[in-house]
Amino acid sequence: MSVISLPFAVVFSFVGSFARATEPKAVGGVVTSDEWIVRRQPVREEEFIGAVRYKAGPHRFESDWALFNHETQIWKARGKIRLRRDFGEQGTLYAEGEESTFSQKTERGHLTGPKGAKFLREAPELGPDEGRADRFEWEGRQSAKMIGSVRTWGPRLESWSDQAHFENGAKKLTLTGGRPVALKREGLGDPDWRAAMQADPLGPRFRCHE
């Protein structure tokens, strides 16, 4: 297995923000839709059908269909899903997919679709960072994963891998599988930024650091 490990600051500000951006505040926000169905049996749930729009503070969410189960505290969404979150001076994050779930109890969720998931972070200082993968998973603010045909690009960094794992606590991005590649751009860190390679029992291991 090939691995690239990068410092947290490289891209977690982009994709790690998605974990925060997709934490729905449930019925505490404002939800509009063409049709709203409330069921109390066998479980209490709310179904939103057609032109679903959710708004709570800096959060924005759109989909063709959404369902909230009050017992499990799980959101489900389908159709054309668009997520947006404003971070003030740090920019605005956008994400798109066609199928998503989110648990308010565990703060775990995923975003995927037939064409995978796409991400874009508009950063005022250097321009947009973008990414795509077959599937995106997150767990609160602690970690996030891009899985399958992962690609990121922007003014700071460009990368290719099978998976990308973002760890908030360790402040690190790890790229694995498919001979991962990370290409530093001019907008990232110190001009002395460098890459090193070492061997381990699992195969070549690549570390990129300042």
Side-chain angles (χ1 to χ4, degrees), residues 3 8 22 24 27 34-35 62 75 81 83 86 103-104 112-113 121 147 154 163-164 166-167 170 173 209:
V3 179
F8 163 87
T22 53
V27 196
D34 293 339
E35 185 177 357
E62 296 180 7
W75 280 92
I81 299 173
L83 304 166
D86 294 321
S103 169
Q104 291 191 183
T112 187
R121 173 180 174 263
I147 302 171
Q163 293 193 23
F166 305 86
E167 299 174 77
L173 162 67
H209 52 86

Side-chain angles (χ1 to χ4, degrees), residues 21 74 118 123 140:
I74 291 178
K118 299 189 299 183

